[in-house]
């Protein structure tokens, strides 16, 4: 599990410097268009907080990095179509970042009909935000989704075989090295220069929920995020509810 300093913004800036120094950093579309035999793609799945994703995108822009942020539209933790969320997502896109659909499969284990639903949700996200959506990633996909190399219209599949190699166990010999910070810890490798130099093809998944100014361990990170959500909700009530003064300090 991450300790406090492991997931601070200062630590993240170091990762971004190593990404740039690798000489492999590019976008999904670059790999397809240029048929690259070396690449390092940086991606983010937004699970709980668009605010944290927005702050991470600002840091990347300051460091000259443009990455991909995948957004859910069926998420109970945030509403990507709210006024504030749309404002942040548009600002992220305007600073050079790509937005994509982070597809939540719900309880379904069926591949049949999946492509059509992904295309439908991507179109909804595109129309509501007002920008082109040309890519998607799965949220917590089962193995058969990862093996399927699913085509969904013209959308880029972040788990397509060009960008992802399925293995039963972490394998340093696979065609594409996948590294992720899932569950507030590094999975399948480390986001460090030694890994970026060792492998020709890398997809790096960073979850914005895990990163903050000072960093935090697993428990404190979620305590902080719950407080952020609480404060945002109270602020919303304050703007929308005329009798809020009677409740101030009690929520």
């Amino acid at each position: 599990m991450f300790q406090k300093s492991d997931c601070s913004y200062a630590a993240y800036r170091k990762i971004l410097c190593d990404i740039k120094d690798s000489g492999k950093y590019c976008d999904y579309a670059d790999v397809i268009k240029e048929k690259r035999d070396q690449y390092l793609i940086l991606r983010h799945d937004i699970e709980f907080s668009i605010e944290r994703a927005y702050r991470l995108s600002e840091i990347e822009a300051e460091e000259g990095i443009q990455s991909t942020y995948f957004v859910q539209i069926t998420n109970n933790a945030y509403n990507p179509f709210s006024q504030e969320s749309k404002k942040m997502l548009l600002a992220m896109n305007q600073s050079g970042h790509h937005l994509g659909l982070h597809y939540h499969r719900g309880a379904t284990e069926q591949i049949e009909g999946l492509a059509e639903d992904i295309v439908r949700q991507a179109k909804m996200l595109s129309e509501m935000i007002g920008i082109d959506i040309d890519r998607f990633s799965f949220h917590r996909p089962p193995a058969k989704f990862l093996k399927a190399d699913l085509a969904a219209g013209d959308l880029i599949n972040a788990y397509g075989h060009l960008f992802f190699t399925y293995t039963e166990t972490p394998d340093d010999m696979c065609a594409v090295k996948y590294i992720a910070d899932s569950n507030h810890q590094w999975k399948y490798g480390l986001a460090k220069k030694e890994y970026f130099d060792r492998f020709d093809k890398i997809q790096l998944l960073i979850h914005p929920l895990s990163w903050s100014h000072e960093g935090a361990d697993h428990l404190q990170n979620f305590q902080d995020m719950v407080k952020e959500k609480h404060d945002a909700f109270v602020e919303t009530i304050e703007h929308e509810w005329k009798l809020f003064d009677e409740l101030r300090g009690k929520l």
Side-chain angles (χ1 to χ4, degrees):
M1 288 289 185
F2 287 154
Q3 300 302 307
K4 183 175 181 178
S5 62
D6 296 334
C7 49
S8 67
Y9 288 149
Y12 190 63
R13 288 184 188 274
K14 176 62 169 63
I15 293 173
L16 295 177
C17 287
D18 287 343
I19 288 174
K20 289 186 290 185
D21 289 346
S22 74
K24 302 170 185 174
Y25 157 70
C26 66
D27 180 54
Y28 294 98
D30 297 325
V31 175
I32 297 171
K33 181 179 179 180
E34 300 170 13
K35 296 181 171 59
R36 294 199 180 196
D37 55 10
Q38 288 191 329
Y39 62 74
L40 195 168
I41 297 171
L42 176 60
R43 135 185 174 218
H44 308 281
D45 292 344
I46 305 178
E47 310 291 15
F48 301 123
S49 174
I50 290 179
E51 291 80 5
R52 288 201 175 194
Y54 175 67
R55 179 57 187 136
L56 213 62
S57 78
E58 289 184 313
I59 293 170
E60 290 173 349
E62 291 166 5
E63 298 293 338
I65 289 282
Q66 289 78 42
S67 61
T68 295
Y69 287 82
F70 288 102
V71 185
Q72 289 188 30
I73 68 170
T74 58
N75 190 304
N76 289 329
Y78 65 79
N79 174 13
F81 305 141
S82 73
Q83 184 176 0
E84 286 302 311
S85 292
K86 287 175 66 175
K87 182 178 178 181
M88 287 184 285
L89 292 172
L90 286 172
M92 291 159 68
N93 183 247
Q94 289 165 3
S95 66
H97 300 294
H98 300 276
L99 298 181
L101 173 70
H102 189 36
Y103 180 74
H104 197 309
R105 64 187 175 84
T108 184
E109 299 286 339
Q110 301 299 318
I111 293 180
E112 294 77 14
L114 209 60
E116 292 80 3
D117 195 42
I118 290 169
V119 170
R120 180 180 64 85
Q121 288 197 22
K123 183 179 179 182
M124 291 173 62
L125 179 60
S126 176
E127 291 176 347
M128 291 296 290
I129 299 296
I131 65 170
D132 182 47
I133 300 297
D134 67 349
R135 58 197 64 191
F136 75 95
S137 69
F138 286 114
H139 175 66
R140 302 182 66 182
K144 64 180 177 181
F145 286 18
L146 298 177
K147 297 175 183 178
D149 195 21
L150 183 72
D154 295 327
L155 298 175
I156 296 170
N157 179 359
Y159 287 109
H161 290 175
L162 189 59
F163 310 110
F164 181 83
T165 302
Y166 178 81
T167 58
E168 296 291 345
T169 58
D171 185 354
D172 286 349
M173 300 303 293
C174 59
V176 182
K177 182 61 178 175
Y178 182 73
I179 304 172
D181 66 344
S182 303
N183 299 321
H184 212 61
Q185 61 187 318
W186 290 119
K187 294 286 189 72
Y188 323 119
L190 301 174
K192 290 189 174 182
K193 185 178 185 301
E194 61 188 89
Y195 274 81
F196 299 161
D197 290 343
R198 186 187 309 169
F199 301 100
D200 288 335
K201 299 178 180 181
I202 304 164
Q203 181 171 182
L204 175 60
L205 169 58
I206 299 286
H207 293 87
L209 67 92
S210 287
W211 301 79
S212 56
H213 183 72
E214 297 294 334
D217 63 25
H218 191 54
L219 174 60
Q220 185 64 53
N221 184 61
F222 275 94
Q223 288 174 332
D224 291 344
M225 196 156 43
V226 167
K227 185 178 186 304
E228 291 166 14
K229 289 291 183 180
H230 170 273
D231 292 346
F233 184 58
V234 169
E235 183 178 352
T236 298
I237 297 174
E238 186 171 19
H239 288 303
E240 299 290 339
W241 193 256
K242 293 181 180 180
L243 300 179
F244 180 76
D245 284 344
E246 299 177 6
L247 306 176
R248 192 182 303 278
K250 298 178 181 179
L251 300 179

